[in-house]
């Protein structure tokens, strides 16, 4: 018997899976891709907050994060939003890379793993 729990499973992916005291979130994207990088990052982080809450966790328990930016030139603007969102002293391990995302209007995708 599997002890894996799926949160909001769909035909292709689950929004998150829970196993062994951790929540593995799918890449969170902005709902409104007409926004600038600041607005898109804020929306993606709000999605992360909501998903972590569904799984019994929160941003203070994030173990790692991966951020994909369409344009690495948005790095400073993304970091400004990120820095205002994370809790000082409880920042996760993180990687940020430039990537061609599946929607040309999408500027960011963020994936996290957190403890529960």
């Amino acid at each position: 018997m599997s002890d894996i729990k799926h949160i909001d499973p769909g035909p292709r992916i689950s929004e998150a899976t829970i196993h062994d005291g951790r929540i593995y979130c799918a890449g969170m994207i902005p709902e409104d891709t007409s926004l600038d990088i600041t607005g898109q990052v804020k929306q993606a982080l709000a999605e992360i907050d909501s998903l972590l809450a569904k799984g019994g966790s929160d941003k203070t328990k994030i173990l790692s994060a991966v951020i994909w930016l369409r344009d690495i030139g948005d790095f400073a603007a993304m970091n400004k939003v990120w820095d205002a969102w994370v809790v000082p002293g409880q920042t996760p391990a993180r990687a940020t890379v430039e990537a061609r995302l599946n929607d040309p209007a999408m500027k960011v995708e963020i994936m996290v793993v957190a403890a529960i």
Side-chain angles (χ1 to χ4, degrees):
M1 190 67 156
S2 174
D3 63 343
I4 298 171
K5 178 182 174 190
H6 296 270
I7 297 176
D8 298 334
R12 183 169 292 140
I13 68 167
S14 291
E15 289 298 306
T17 53
I18 296 174
H19 177 67
D20 199 24
R22 291 177 194 87
I23 180 170
Y24 300 84
C25 298
M28 293 294 103
I29 57 175
E31 198 168 298
D32 182 356
T33 57
S34 71
L35 297 172
D36 65 5
I37 186 64
T38 297
Q40 288 197 24
V41 172
K42 285 179 180 179
Q43 282 193 347
L45 293 174
E47 289 294 322
I48 290 169
D49 282 331
S50 175
L51 193 52
L52 290 174
K54 284 182 183 181
S57 188
D58 62 60
K59 65 185 172 185
T60 67
K61 298 175 184 169
I62 296 175
L63 303 170
S64 66
V66 178
I67 301 172
W68 294 274
L69 294 173
R70 174 165 294 282
D71 180 354
I72 202 68
D74 287 333
F75 187 73
M78 178 277 299
N79 269 332
K80 187 173 182 180
V81 177
W82 176 268
D83 291 347
W85 179 75
V86 294
V87 177
Q90 296 178 323
T91 53
R94 189 188 94 177
T96 305
V97 297
E98 183 177 63
R100 198 167 63 200
L101 301 171
N102 70 341
D103 176 347
M106 192 183 317
K107 298 180 183 304
V108 65
E109 183 169 351
I110 305 172
M111 184 172 70
V112 302
V113 175
I116 296 176

